[in-house]
Amino acid sequence: MRIALLARAHAGTLAVLFALSALACLLVSGLPRATQGAYDRALREALSAAPAVQADLTVAGESRSPREDLRDPAAFAERERRLRPLLPAALRPLVAAGHMSAKTSRTPVTGTGGQTYVNLGWLSDAGRRVEWVAGRAPGAPSTTRFRGQTIPLFEVGVVEEAVRQMDLRVGQTRTLGESDFAAVRVVGVFRAKDPSDRAWGHDQDLLHVTKLQPPGELDFEFHTTTLISDAGLAALSGEARNLTYRWVLPVNARAASAMSVSEVEAGVAELGRLLTLQATSAGPYRLETGLPKLLGDFAAALTTAQTVMYLVLAGLLAVALGVIVLGVRLLTDRLDQALALARARGGSLRQVAGTGAALTAVAVGPAVLAGWALAGLVPGPALPVAHLGPAFVLVAGVGFAAARTALAHRAPLHERRGDGAAARPSARRITVEVLVVVLALAGAYLLRQRGLSAAAGLDPFLLLVPIALTLAAALVTARCYPYPLRLLVRVAARGRAAVPFLGLTRAARARAAGGLPVLILLPALAVSVFAAVIADGIDGTQRLASWQQVGAPIRITSPIEIPAATIDRIRATPGVEQVVTAQTGRVQLGYASESAEALAVDVAQWRRLLDGAPVALPEPPRGGSALVSPELRGRGTLDVGWQSRVKVRVQGVAESVPGFARGGKFLVLPMTVLTRPAVNTLLVKGDVAPEALARLVPSGAVESQERALAAIRDDPLTGAVRTTLAVVTAALAFYALVAVVLSLVVGAADRARTVSFLRTLGLSDRQARRLTMLEVLPMVLVTAAAGLALGLGLPAALGPGIDLSAYAGDLPVGGYDPGLLTPAALAAGLAMVAVLGAYAHTALNRRRGLGDALRAGDLS
């Protein structure tokens, strides 16, 4: 047959099929690219935001004797050249050029009683990273005499902070050690050229003085690491002190990919194993890194994101294929008479089926290429599904056209009666459908009972249960929705009006093919409502998490007391409505070493400040009583050491306090129990910029609920989930509307013949419109109700399988309470399209002559 002639004759239907196929391919190919790109950005931001000591790989070794010492930078470089080949293949693209260091630890200053420690440190790239603000750079070491023996004398540079806090001045000489001595002479003072350089994350001991309070001691220890020259390595030995060599292999976050997280985790474990097997003169190596934990946390959040994405994308693909199948069915119905004539004239079944498949390929083939090409413009890596999805659309569309044409025309001059009763379903079919329903319900129950699989990666059980539930709901709806209509038919039969009886009768006697729109509409509505419910749940929990983090619209915290005059200026700032003062600190419980976090605040005022917020505060403590965390319950009376000794009675238990504590040991006291409150926290309500308050409290840190919410929402992984859910919701709503329109068009010929017959009996145009609506609306409304119910119930049915806390400020997303806007809009949209389609169909049918319609019906 001439494909070009048939294509011109059915250009409108082919255009619709082209648009549906192109959109489907764009979505199933573009959305995975976009989401994977977001996953990659999220991983890169997580690695970039993490401290360098956690994200980077550091190979460490210790020297304990002169034969293990590395005496010059060349020895370090040679050792690094040996280490690089040990990197597994998954790590090599991630590891960039790093630096090396040699440092002593816990090197006491002689005569300080272990209160002052000055360590020696060497950096391979010190010339690039530091600048000298006083004195000069260290030179070669020499010797000096101390207690009758010759000891090495190192020229060192110290950081500016050590000059202020440890009284280390240029020209000063200090002796180190308690038995094996060495001396250092301060010849210069340095600072970091770029303190934000990630490399300093490994060398914070060089930039800052560390203050430590040993257990049971009242005094602090002061530690600093000085900088020696390359020549100083010749005199630096691990024989008499703790000497550690490190080779820092920084991880390039920009080269990270979410697809290779598991391979990188395995590579880190393999590198650690290989390092322990290396036998060198410097002793065994060890790997120091927090990368596995970072990747593990990210992988946990990624698994949930991928699960939700696969759920909604699988539903989108199924619905898109269903709509395409409905479009192909419309095309094959239009070809029915031409193919029947060709079959009657001697055409083979292969030729007839090939014609249907070829004509479908004329529309679907270019559409698949166009959608796939447009998806290539979406930024993100091309996953296999980005190529397999469009190919599956092409095979499904063309294959359905060939199969349906072959089945319809397997015998020449086939005849189908429109007045015959529909065949009863076989026992085998009913058994299969019942089995599907039972398995779906059992799967949902088991998923709630056992939760997710502990194995890494996606849990197939979680992906199969929603599909089974949707299929079961569609089967039940398609099988059962004619029965309540038959009851309505009996009621309508008692009335005098013929239109309700005829319309409901046609709806109740829909053929088995009429169930195809149900199988499309129900998943479309269920998945779109599910996506909307999940998005609403994430949005509400994100807002709750932001209030939990801050505890007020604006919170100001200061390490020192905020003066009363400053508080008065804040109260007088335009836009400020309310200010609640508070004091926080760590207090001693009893007279032992037990301690807890304490908050002194007027809880009643705080509750008024939070009026209308989604967080709730406990009832305020009365008198001198306190609220305590669950770990402190049952204490009766607490002796609290805070400014002075205070005894408070435990009044109640608070699981958490917004903006203050979510766990651990804590207590909430009234401000009146303090002898002289030293306010260091302000809770502010009003329409005022946080920057304006920050200028009034230079020593304070200003946090706002709006900023906390923006930080949660701006996470790339969270943004990917929210964006994909929104796109899928809109796409499925569109497909649901298209399915309604196509279902009207597919049955248009049969409906036109019926209306034409009835018009010869006096049916008016108004009655024809009502008849069409009564025929179509029951299927739409029943399916919409079932789809909405399933979509609202899926989050609860999946239960522990969906843990979205990673996208909601680490708060569990549960108790989904969606608004009625989305379900009402979807149901109203479908009903409106059905009504408009009925009116349009009646209007178009009115233009046709009664003779044309009847002759067309007679030919069939």
Side-chain angles (χ1 to χ4, degrees):
M1 299 183 69
R2 299 177 62 182
I3 302 300
L5 182 61
L6 291 175
R8 287 196 299 269
H10 302 283
T13 306
L14 293 178
V16 172
L17 194 56
F18 176 90
L20 293 175
S21 302
L23 178 60
C25 293
L26 175 60
L27 291 174
V28 301
S29 182
L31 280 178
R33 288 175 180 265
T35 53
Q36 189 61 42
Y39 298 158
D40 291 344
R41 291 193 301 273
L43 175 60
R44 292 161 188 167
E45 287 195 10
L47 294 178
S48 300
V53 290
Q54 294 184 19
D56 294 343
L57 304 173
T58 302
V59 180
E62 296 180 352
S63 174
R64 295 183 178 86
S65 65
R67 68 182 184 84
E68 298 174 351
D69 294 337
L70 301 179
R71 298 291 186 175
D72 55 68
F76 279 87
E78 174 61 26
R79 196 65 54 84
E80 183 184 24
R81 284 192 291 270
R82 298 180 189 174
L83 294 174
R84 288 276 177 174
L86 299 179
L87 289 173
L91 297 180
R92 291 173 187 171
L94 293 178
V95 175
H99 70 279
M100 301 161 285
S101 66
K103 296 177 185 177
T104 64
S105 59
R106 298 196 64 82
T107 309
V109 176
T110 305
T112 61
Q115 298 299 312
T116 304
Y117 294 84
V118 175
N119 300 310
L120 303 174
W122 168 81
L123 296 180
S124 61
D125 55 353
R128 177 184 63 84
R129 293 165 56 189
V130 304
E131 60 182 357
W132 298 93
V133 296
R136 60 176 176 82
S142 58
T143 58
T144 188
R145 299 285 298 176
F146 180 75
R147 294 182 183 179
Q149 55 181 310
T150 301
I151 60 174
L153 174 63
F154 294 90
E155 290 189 352
V156 300
V158 297
V159 71
E160 291 177 302
E161 192 174 300
V163 175
R164 296 190 301 268
Q165 297 188 23
M166 298 181 64
D167 194 27
L168 295 176
R169 301 180 302 276
V170 175
Q172 186 181 58
T173 300
R174 306 292 292 269
T175 305
L176 309 180
E178 298 296 343
S179 56
D180 293 285
F181 300 102
V184 295
R185 176 178 296 146
V186 179
V187 298
V189 179
F190 67 86
R191 68 161 67 110
K193 291 182 179 179
D194 181 12
S196 62
D197 187 352
R198 284 182 59 82
W200 285 115
H202 298 274
D203 304 304
Q204 288 294 307
D205 55 331
L206 278 161
L207 288 187
H208 301 286
V209 174
T210 304
K211 294 173 59 177
L212 299 177
Q213 188 175 20
E217 299 290 339
L218 297 178
D219 296 329
F220 286 91
E221 295 178 355
F222 291 84
H223 297 250
T224 189
T225 300
T226 60
L227 193 62
I228 65 174
S229 64
D230 293 351
L233 284 175
L236 189 62
S237 175
E239 182 179 11
R241 60 198 81 255
N242 302 319
L243 178 59
T244 302
Y245 301 137
R246 287 184 174 86
W247 291 263
V248 177
L249 307 176
V251 171
N252 181 14
R254 290 177 295 180
S257 171
M259 297 176 61
S260 60
V261 166
S262 58
E263 289 82 359
V264 172
E265 286 186 288
V268 173
E270 177 66 12
L271 177 61
R273 187 187 69 84
L274 292 176
L275 289 174
T276 59
L277 298 177
Q278 298 300 306
T280 66
S281 59
Y285 292 120
R286 66 179 183 276
L287 182 63
E288 299 175 348
T289 181
L291 187 58
K293 183 180 185 306
L294 290 175
L295 295 178
D297 294 343
F298 175 81
L302 178 63
T303 298
T304 303
Q306 288 177 327
T307 300
V308 176
M309 294 302 100
Y310 279 118
L311 282 175
V312 296
L313 289 177
L316 176 61
L317 177 60
V319 171
L321 288 177
V323 173
I324 291 173
V325 165
L326 200 57
V328 173
R329 179 173 173 235
L330 174 62
L331 177 62
T332 55
D333 285 349
R334 298 288 176 86
L335 292 173
D336 188 71
Q337 293 185 8
L339 295 179
L341 183 60
R343 188 84 167 100
R345 290 179 175 178
S348 66
L349 185 61
R350 179 181 299 178
Q351 289 175 322
V352 172
T355 300
L359 191 59
T360 303
V362 168
V364 177
V368 167
L369 291 177
W372 178 76
L374 289 175
L377 302 178
V378 177
L383 302 176
V385 69
H387 306 304
L388 295 178
F392 189 67
V393 170
L394 176 62
V395 172
V398 176
F400 178 78
R404 189 169 191 276
T405 306
L407 289 175
H409 300 280
R410 57 185 179 273
L413 295 177
H414 66 287
E415 291 187 358
R416 291 173 297 180
R417 294 185 58 182
D419 58 347
R424 293 181 178 272
S426 63
R428 180 180 300 175
R429 179 175 178 180
I430 293 178
T431 303
V432 171
E433 292 178 356
V434 171
L435 182 61
V436 170
V437 174
V438 172
L439 290 178
L441 295 177
Y445 174 78
L446 291 175
L447 181 61
R448 289 188 58 84
Q449 292 299 314
R450 83 171 183 44
L452 286 176
S453 172
L458 296 175
D459 187 353
F461 200 63
L462 181 60
L463 298 178
L464 295 176
V465 168
I467 297 175
L469 286 174
T470 304
L471 181 59
L475 290 175
V476 171
T477 304
R479 180 66 61 197
C480 296
Y481 90 88
Y483 296 106
L485 293 183
R486 292 175 184 176
L487 297 178
L488 294 177
V489 168
R490 293 184 179 182
V491 175
R494 298 178 181 178
R496 299 181 60 184
V499 170
F501 173 76
L502 292 174
L504 294 175
T505 299
R506 286 182 57 82
R509 291 183 177 180
R511 292 179 175 274
L516 183 58
V518 175
L519 296 176
I520 299 171
L521 279 178
L522 194 141
L525 286 170
V527 177
S528 61
V529 172
F530 169 76
V533 170
I534 291 294
D536 288 343
I538 292 176
D539 184 73
T541 310
Q542 286 176 341
R543 189 173 300 276
L544 175 62
S546 66
W547 282 99
Q548 289 280 16
Q549 290 178 11
V550 182
I554 300 176
R555 185 182 66 188
I556 305 173
T557 56
S558 173
I560 60 176
E561 181 179 358
I562 302 176
T566 301
I567 299 175
D568 292 337
R569 285 197 297 271
I570 292 176
R571 285 196 171 101
T573 301
V576 173
E577 301 175 13
Q578 187 177 353
V579 177
V580 177
T581 59
Q583 180 178 346
T584 61
R586 191 159 189 86
V587 299
Q588 183 184 23
L589 300 180
Y591 292 90
S593 59
E594 186 180 14
S595 61
E597 297 294 331
L599 169 67
V601 66
D602 188 332
V603 178
Q605 290 187 11
W606 194 4
R607 287 166 67 93
R608 288 193 293 271
L609 182 139
L610 291 176
D611 185 30
V615 292
L617 290 173
E619 290 294 330
R622 297 183 300 272
S625 57
L627 298 174
V628 299
S629 63
E631 297 184 17
L632 298 178
R633 74 170 73 212
R635 297 292 183 98
T637 301
L638 291 175
D639 192 301
V640 180
W642 194 12
Q643 296 180 342
S644 61
R645 308 302 302 188
V646 178
K647 287 190 176 182
V648 294
R649 181 174 54 86
V650 175
Q651 175 185 324
V653 177
E655 298 292 336
S656 63
V657 179
F660 172 62
R662 293 175 58 181
K665 296 181 180 180
F666 64 85
L667 64 157
V668 181
L669 308 169
M671 291 285 282
T672 54
V673 304
L674 300 180
T675 305
R676 192 194 73 82
V679 175
N680 59 7
T681 301
L682 298 178
L683 307 173
V684 182
K685 179 181 180 180
D687 185 12
V688 59
E691 293 79 8
L693 300 180
R695 289 192 292 268
L696 296 176
V697 189
S699 63
V702 180
E703 300 176 80
S704 71
Q705 178 268 332
E706 293 182 353
R707 287 182 177 177
L709 180 60
I712 296 173
R713 289 179 172 175
D714 289 344
D715 178 74
L717 208 57
T718 302
V721 173
R722 289 172 57 88
T723 302
T724 304
L725 290 176
V727 171
V728 169
T729 301
L732 288 173
F734 169 76
Y735 274 125
L737 299 180
V738 171
V740 173
V741 174
L742 287 180
S743 65
L744 285 169
V745 176
V746 166
D750 180 64
R751 197 176 301 111
R753 186 188 63 178
T754 301
V755 170
S756 298
F757 271 117
L758 293 175
R759 284 175 64 188
T760 63
L761 301 177
L763 186 74
S764 66
D765 291 338
R766 182 178 180 182
Q767 290 175 323
R769 288 193 294 267
R770 291 175 56 195
L771 178 66
T772 305
M773 283 190 298
L774 288 173
E775 180 183 349
V776 175
L777 273 181
M779 181 270 294
V780 173
L781 295 180
V782 172
T783 306
L788 291 176
L790 179 61
L792 294 174
L794 271 178
L798 298 181
I802 302 179
D803 179 14
L804 301 171
S805 58
Y807 320 113
D810 293 330
L811 288 183
V813 181
Y816 299 99
D817 186 18
L820 297 178
L821 178 61
T822 299
L826 290 172
L830 289 177
M832 185 178 298
V833 169
V835 171
L836 293 178
Y839 272 80
H841 168 73
T842 306
L844 293 174
N845 184 60
R846 186 172 52 188
R847 297 179 182 178
R848 301 175 61 186
L850 294 181
D852 295 338
L854 295 178
R855 284 196 298 271
D858 293 338
L859 287 175
S860 63

